[in-house]
Amino acid sequence: MAKSSADDEELRRACEAAIEGTKQEVVMSIRVAKTSGIIGIAGKLSRGAMAKPRVLAISTKAKGQRTKAFLRVLKYSNGGVLEPAKLYKLKHLSKVELVTNDPSGCTFMLGFDNLRSQSVTPPQWTMRNVDDRNRLLLCILNICKDVLGRLPKVVGIDVVEMALWAKENTPAITKQQANPQDGPVTAVAEEGEMTVTVERELVSQAEEEDMEALLGTYVMGIGEAEAFSERLKRELQALEAANVHAILENEPLIDEVLHGLESATNCVEDMDEWLGIFNVKLRHMREDIESIETRNNKLEMQSVNNKALIEELDGLLERLRIPSEYAACLTGGSFEEARMPQNIEACEWLTNALHGLESPKLDPSYSNMRAVKEKRAEVDKLKMTFVRRASEFLRNYFSSLVDFMMSDKSYFSQRGQLKRPDHADLRYKCRTYARLLQHLKSLDKNCLGPLRKAYCTSLNLLLRREAREFANELRSSTKASKNPIVWFEGLTGLNQSVNNADTSAASEAYAKMLTIFIPLLVDESSFFAHFMCFEVPTLLPPEGVANGNKPGDDKDDDLGMMDIDENDNKSGQTSADLKALNESLHDLFDGIQEDFFAVVDWAGKIDPMCCISMHGITERYIPGQKADAAGFVRILLDDLESRISMQFSRFVEETCHQIERNERNVRQLGVLSFIPRFATLATRMEQYIQGQSRDLVDQAYTKFVTIMFVTLDKIAQTDLKYQDIMLLENYASFQNSLYDLANVVPTLAKFYHQASESYEQACTRHINTIIYYQFERLFQFARRIEDLMYTITPEEIPFQIGLSKADLRKVVKYSLSGVDKSISTMYKRLQKNLASEELLPSLWDKCKKEFLEKYESFVQLINKVYPTESIPSISEMRGLLASM
């Protein structure tokens, strides 16, 4: 027999490679031909139906305790490699049908019950021979029996014949026993024999032996099947008749059994009747028990509810109870310092009681109860009574504290003695009632407005008197010149000097005023914001006496001030509280600014230079006042800075008017008086600069110098003959007097360079005037030649009218004969009108240099136009000038 493709190991490996990754094990693989047409006569395919080579592979996959079986259809790709085409689950295999049109018996169809369209004819599979067909179908049937526990319907195939074929084609096999749940067991034949996979026989060994014994009793040929069948029918009829006869012989026994069954039936009916009676009684008893249990449960629930209600009412009564000691304290208790702990305790109880009668602490269902409403009204009445009494007491207390301090003169500055304001005792006494104010705020916020107003009104009187007495004594005890300094008015000579008396004491007095009162006002602002429960960030009090502590009272300060926010620590500031705080601070300090203004005006009258130092002192305080509680202090410092700037601006304007009045004076010569005076003024101003007052001084410098230069130009234009002399002398004096300051003050350096440029221009104009006065014909002749050189060539110029060689000789003879005398005349004219003798050497050097440059250009021009003419050379003229 030819070797079957089912034994082809290479084919099996190709199938395993095609389904790699599916975790399925190939049990059997075999080559088949797939057709979809109808088989015709002699087993030939009908027209239009072509056989396609395919491979059928049976595979299994273990999944837990179960094993799944699949029938895979593989086809050949273009490269001859197997690839999956179809997949069928064997659990859906319902029919195996042999195609009768194929006389060879090698074609069959497999029917599956899960195909979507049962109307489509399933594909037909054609094997090479019957052996291959039997191998495949036996493998499928064995797997269905062992793994799935059932067999598909087999049509057109003799199962007995297939079993006999399997027995004949199975050699001695070594079977591997295993549990059917572990998957199909494969029987492997000895090497060299044909391998046929038979997992289990369709007929067991015992059934086969019984069948052989039965067939052995009948000595018949294989063609006598009809006779064998007739004989079996006759024997079956005889056996049934014998059974009926035996039953009829046992009739008495059957009657006895029936009688017993009837007696038993009667007993059962009686028992059923009794059971029905008992069931009715039990049902009635069950209903009674359920009724009793229902009533019992209701009573028990009512008892629990009553108990809970009593407890809730007891708690509500306890919450509504007003202790007599608290009621007495709130309605008629004393506010003395010794009684404050009891008052605070009563306030805490009152606050908790009010909160306890409000949602969410009080259940909304209680809010409409009459007892709750009455108790809430009683508590509200207690609150209003206590708030009214406490507010009245605090207003009177603030007023009495201030009146006591106002009546004692030792609290204020006196003649010959400056007294630093000390509010430590005042704040210490106020802190006693800090927590009371906190509770008043929580009880009624509206009561704080009148209290803040009363505190501000009372303390404002004290602060204003302290500032007034301190400022008066500060002015009277400061030694300073009483005559105001006039810097530019009425000064026409250079030998007059201003009063250089030291007036720094006035600015020091202002600094002392700020040093004492600004920290005091900041402390008062911060204390007021804390004490009166404003919800804004405030300054921490400075250390020492300035923050109002008594020596050794640091602990009391902590207990007083720091505890104010203990129960109501709100970090966010509200615009409403900030606005209210600023209004209250204005009421607290209103009027005190007048005493600061008086000191500023007094110091400005003594010496306007004090405004510079006062401006710097004020600016040093401004950046430190950033807290919200220091709002009034910031406004006060800004107002002081504005007043100082305004006063200094008034001084600058008056000084500018004094400078302008110089142009209306009689004709002036030499250096004007305001030039050296400005140098003295600038030196004095630099001595007073502190902090950020540089901008103020630079602005003043700009105004002064601008008006000085404008006035100088106007005065110089009154006499054009001496204009340049006056300008160069004054600009030179300006530079000499401000040389040192210009090196350190950028603003003055800018004006220094401006004066230097103006000086050079005035020098150039004056020197050119002197040179042209003495050598006018010589340089006019050169100018005519230069003008003609723009239109004609140098060779044509000697032929022009007035520019001939003879004309040149006349001009040279007239101008350069006795040139030493002419140069001496130039020197005398330069010296004649110059008031500042120290400027003469430099001016004469400039004059010689300028004349030599002009003469050098003249010689070059003559050599170019009149090359044959001879004139004094440049070296001769330079030597002559050097000897002068």
Side-chain angles (χ1 to χ4, degrees):
M1 183 181 295
K3 186 176 181 180
S4 174
S5 63
D7 305 326
D8 192 345
E9 292 295 332
E10 185 177 351
L11 179 62
R12 176 176 296 199
R13 286 193 294 270
C15 293
E16 290 177 349
I19 64 172
E20 184 179 2
T22 60
K23 298 182 181 180
Q24 296 180 13
E25 180 182 358
V26 177
V27 177
M28 183 179 184
S29 59
I30 193 167
R31 293 184 179 90
V32 299
K34 175 185 176 184
T35 57
S36 57
I38 302 175
I39 303 297
I41 300 173
K44 295 182 180 180
L45 294 173
S46 64
R47 186 177 180 181
M50 297 295 294
K52 300 177 183 178
R54 293 289 187 268
V55 174
L56 291 181
I58 300 173
S59 61
T60 59
K61 179 180 180 182
K63 188 174 182 182
Q65 298 296 326
R66 296 183 301 164
T67 301
K68 293 185 177 182
F70 305 92
L71 175 65
R72 284 186 170 273
V73 181
L74 297 96
K75 66 180 180 179
Y76 289 94
S77 64
N78 294 333
V81 180
L82 286 176
E83 59 182 17
K86 292 280 187 178
L87 175 66
Y88 301 98
K89 294 183 179 180
L90 288 182
K91 68 178 181 179
H92 297 298
L93 181 62
S94 61
K95 182 173 68 172
V96 179
E97 182 178 359
L98 190 67
V99 178
T100 57
N101 292 336
D102 184 7
S104 65
C106 296
T107 303
F108 61 91
M109 293 187 298
L110 298 176
F112 293 89
D113 58 8
N114 65 334
L115 295 180
R116 294 182 180 178
S117 177
Q118 298 292 342
S119 62
V120 178
T121 304
Q124 300 175 1
W125 309 99
T126 304
M127 315 301 291
R128 290 194 308 169
N129 49 49
V130 176
D131 291 335
D132 283 354
R133 184 203 72 182
N134 290 341
R135 284 190 183 90
L136 179 62
L137 295 181
L138 278 174
C139 184
I140 291 175
L141 294 175
N142 287 334
I143 289 178
C144 289
K145 180 179 180 182
D146 292 341
V147 176
L148 305 177
R150 64 178 180 81
L151 288 173
K153 181 179 180 182
V154 180
V155 179
I157 302 175
D158 192 345
V159 179
V160 177
E161 181 183 350
M162 287 182 63
L164 295 175
W165 178 90
K167 184 175 183 181
E168 292 175 358
N169 290 275
T170 303
I173 296 174
T174 303
K175 293 187 178 180
Q176 299 174 352
Q177 300 296 331
N179 191 341
Q181 295 180 353
D182 298 335
V185 179
T186 304
V188 182
E190 294 180 358
E191 185 177 359
E193 297 293 336
M194 181 182 64
T195 303
V196 181
T197 303
V198 182
E199 298 181 359
R200 293 212 190 279
E201 297 85 351
L202 296 177
V203 182
S204 65
Q205 187 68 26
E207 292 172 344
E208 184 178 353
E209 292 176 356
D210 292 340
M211 188 179 296
E212 289 178 354
L214 178 61
L215 292 176
T217 58
Y218 304 97
V219 183
M220 293 181 182
I222 194 65
E224 299 176 356
E226 294 182 359
F228 179 68
S229 177
E230 288 296 333
R231 184 175 178 178
L232 287 178
K233 288 180 180 180
R234 289 194 301 270
E235 291 183 358
L236 179 60
Q237 290 175 358
L239 181 60
E240 289 178 351
N243 288 335
V244 172
H245 185 268
I247 290 173
L248 292 175
E249 289 180 350
N250 294 327
E251 183 179 0
L253 296 175
I254 292 173
D255 291 339
E256 186 177 351
V257 171
L258 291 176
H259 181 71
L261 289 174
E262 186 177 357
S263 300
T265 302
N266 293 331
C267 291
V268 169
E269 290 177 354
D270 293 340
M271 186 171 291
D272 181 64
E273 185 178 356
W274 279 104
L275 289 175
I277 295 172
F278 287 135
N279 188 29
V280 172
K281 291 183 177 181
L282 287 174
R283 185 173 67 250
H284 292 166
M285 291 179 64
R286 189 181 302 111
E287 292 174 356
D288 294 342
I289 291 172
E290 289 177 355
S291 177
I292 293 171
E293 287 181 350
T294 301
R295 291 197 299 272
N296 187 33
N297 290 338
K298 290 181 178 179
L299 290 174
E300 185 176 356
M301 184 178 296
Q302 185 176 2
S303 176
V304 172
N305 290 338
N306 289 336
K307 183 178 180 182
L309 178 60
I310 291 173
E311 293 177 355
E312 185 70 19
L313 291 176
D314 288 342
L316 181 61
L317 289 174
E318 180 64 25
R319 189 183 302 177
L320 298 178
R321 188 179 68 86
I322 299 178
S324 58
E325 62 274 15
Y326 293 154
C329 184
L330 293 172
T331 55
S334 172
F335 289 100
E336 295 179 357
E337 183 176 350
R339 295 282 301 170
M340 284 312 298
Q342 290 81 355
N343 288 325
I344 297 301
E345 186 178 353
C347 285
E348 291 176 351
W349 173 87
L350 181 60
T351 302
N352 294 332
L354 288 171
H355 290 166
L357 294 177
E358 296 175 355
S359 179
K361 289 189 175 182
L362 182 66
D363 194 291
S365 58
Y366 294 154
S367 58
N368 294 325
M369 293 178 63
R370 188 177 68 178
V372 174
K373 291 181 178 179
E374 292 176 354
K375 192 58 64 174
R376 183 184 292 116
E378 185 176 354
V379 174
D380 287 339
K381 184 177 180 181
L382 278 177
K383 179 191 75 173
M384 290 187 292
T385 302
F386 177 75
V387 169
R388 177 181 54 77
R389 292 179 58 251
S391 299
E392 183 178 358
F393 167 78
L394 289 175
R395 287 196 298 270
N396 296 333
Y397 183 74
F398 296 150
S399 178
S400 63
L401 280 180
V402 173
D403 290 343
F404 173 77
M405 296 182 68
M406 294 281 285
S407 62
D408 190 351
K409 294 184 178 181
S410 63
Y411 281 102
F412 307 101
S413 298
Q414 300 178 18
R415 185 174 183 82
Q417 180 184 5
L418 283 174
K419 177 70 174 180
R420 177 191 294 268
D422 184 6
H423 294 178
D425 188 60
L426 173 66
R427 295 177 191 170
Y428 177 78
K429 292 179 179 179
C430 288
R431 283 192 188 97
T432 304
Y433 301 96
R435 189 174 291 278
L436 177 62
L437 279 171
Q438 186 70 38
H439 285 290
L440 288 177
K441 177 185 177 182
S442 64
L443 293 174
D444 185 6
K445 288 186 177 181
N446 296 327
C447 73
L448 287 182
L451 286 177
R452 292 167 179 171
K453 186 72 174 179
Y455 180 86
C456 293
T457 303
S458 300
L459 200 63
N460 178 261
L461 298 175
L462 177 64
L463 290 171
R464 291 182 61 182
R465 180 176 176 184
E466 289 174 339
R468 183 173 63 254
E469 298 290 348
F470 190 89
N472 292 338
E473 180 57 29
L474 193 64
R475 292 197 297 270
S476 63
S477 62
T478 301
K479 297 179 180 180
S481 174
K482 297 183 180 180
N483 296 323
I485 300 175
V486 179
W487 286 92
F488 295 100
E489 190 173 18
L491 298 177
T492 59
L494 293 178
N495 56 352
Q496 293 177 324
S497 61
V498 298
N499 182 14
N500 290 325
D502 185 12
T503 58
S504 61
S507 58
E508 291 176 359
Y510 174 77
K512 184 179 294 185
M513 184 80 175
L514 292 187
T515 302
I516 297 299
F517 277 90
I518 293 301
L520 175 66
L521 297 182
V522 172
D523 289 348
E524 286 297 334
S525 301
S526 179
F527 176 80
F528 177 74
H530 276 87
F531 183 57
M532 287 298 173
C533 309
F534 286 96
E535 296 175 5
V536 294
T538 52
L539 291 173
L540 291 176
E543 296 180 358
V545 182
N547 68 354
N549 289 350
K550 284 185 176 182
D553 284 347
D554 293 339
K555 182 176 179 182
D556 294 336
D557 177 60
D558 292 339
L559 291 176
M561 290 304 297
M562 302 310 291
D563 285 349
I564 292 177
D565 297 329
E566 184 178 40
N567 294 331
D568 192 12
N569 187 15
K570 297 182 180 179
S571 58
Q573 93 178 47
T574 59
S575 58
D577 262 14
L578 184 58
K579 181 180 179 181
L581 174 61
N582 289 330
E583 293 175 355
S584 298
L585 290 177
H586 182 270
D587 295 338
L588 181 63
F589 299 126
D590 187 31
I592 198 173
Q593 65 270 22
E594 300 299 331
D595 297 299
F596 287 89
F597 293 160
V599 174
V600 170
D601 296 340
W602 166 75
K605 289 180 181 178
I606 293 177
D607 185 1
M609 298 297 103
C610 293
C611 294
I612 301 174
S613 58
M614 289 191 296
H615 189 275
I617 293 169
T618 306
E619 283 192 339
R620 283 205 307 269
Y621 279 92
I622 292 177
Q625 314 306 325
K626 296 181 179 180
D628 292 324
F632 182 86
V633 178
R634 286 198 306 274
I635 296 174
L636 174 61
L637 292 173
D638 290 340
D639 292 343
L640 287 173
E641 186 181 28
S642 300
R643 195 176 187 92
I644 293 170
S645 300
M646 181 181 64
Q647 195 170 37
F648 187 71
S649 298
R650 190 183 301 120
F651 160 72
V652 172
E653 294 298 330
E654 291 176 357
T655 304
C656 289
H657 290 318
Q658 294 174 15
I659 295 173
E660 288 176 341
R661 282 196 287 270
N662 280 272
E663 65 176 288
R664 296 194 292 269
N665 293 340
V666 294
R667 178 176 174 271
Q668 302 181 46
L669 296 176
V671 179
L672 298 176
S673 60
F674 56 74
I675 297 294
R677 292 298 178 189
F678 173 73
T680 306
L681 175 64
T683 304
R684 187 75 174 272
M685 290 171 70
E686 289 297 321
Q687 295 174 355
Y688 281 89
I689 291 179
Q690 295 185 16
Q692 301 297 323
S693 55
R694 165 57 62 190
D695 294 339
L696 185 70
V697 174
D698 287 345
Q699 293 173 6
Y701 285 158
T702 302
K703 289 185 179 180
F704 287 152
V705 177
T706 301
I707 199 66
M708 284 168 55
F709 286 173
V710 172
T711 304
L712 175 59
D713 288 339
K714 291 181 179 179
I715 294 174
Q717 289 175 3
T718 58
D719 190 351
L720 299 179
K721 181 178 179 180
Y722 300 102
Q723 178 181 4
D724 293 329
I725 296 176
M726 174 165 282
L727 290 176
L728 67 89
E729 285 182 337
N730 281 276
Y731 283 128
S733 175
F734 182 85
Q735 294 179 76
N736 293 334
S737 61
L738 290 177
Y739 178 78
D740 295 332
L741 286 178
N743 287 328
V744 294
V745 181
T747 303
L748 293 180
K750 179 181 69 174
F751 292 114
Y752 182 89
H753 293 305
Q754 181 180 343
S756 178
E757 293 175 0
S758 301
Y759 170 77
E760 293 295 335
Q761 294 172 3
C763 286
T764 302
R765 290 194 303 268
H766 183 57
I767 289 171
N768 287 333
T769 301
I770 293 176
I771 293 174
Y772 277 108
Y773 182 83
Q774 198 67 31
F775 298 96
E776 183 177 6
R777 291 186 61 185
L778 182 68
F779 294 120
Q780 282 183 353
F781 188 83
R783 188 177 301 163
R784 291 176 61 193
I785 295 175
E786 290 176 350
D787 293 341
L788 287 175
M789 288 184 69
Y790 289 108
T791 58
I792 61 177
T793 62
E795 291 78 8
E796 297 176 356
I797 292 178
F799 301 102
Q800 303 297 319
I801 298 175
L803 295 177
S804 64
K805 293 181 180 180
D807 295 330
L808 172 64
R809 295 188 192 103
K810 290 180 183 180
V811 171
V812 171
K813 182 178 180 181
Y814 176 81
S815 300
L816 297 182
S817 60
V819 67
D820 52 347
K821 293 182 180 180
S822 299
I823 294 175
S824 298
T825 302
M826 286 172 52
Y827 180 79
K828 291 178 181 178
R829 289 184 62 85
L830 185 64
Q831 185 183 19
K832 178 181 179 182
N833 296 317
L834 194 63
S836 302
E837 295 293 335
E838 66 274 6
L839 297 178
L840 182 60
S842 61
L843 285 177
W844 176 238
D845 290 340
K846 289 179 181 291
C847 184
K848 291 190 293 183
K849 181 179 179 182
E850 185 69 21
F851 174 75
L852 193 59
E853 290 177 356
K854 292 181 180 295
Y855 185 75
E856 183 176 359
S857 62
F858 173 77
V859 172
Q860 292 175 357
L861 193 61
I862 296 301
N863 290 336
K864 189 174 183 180
V865 178
Y866 307 96
T868 59
E869 296 296 323
S870 62
I871 59 175
S873 64
I874 298 174
S875 59
E876 292 177 1
M877 190 63 68
R878 184 180 291 111
L880 181 61
L881 289 173
S883 63
M884 296 300 292

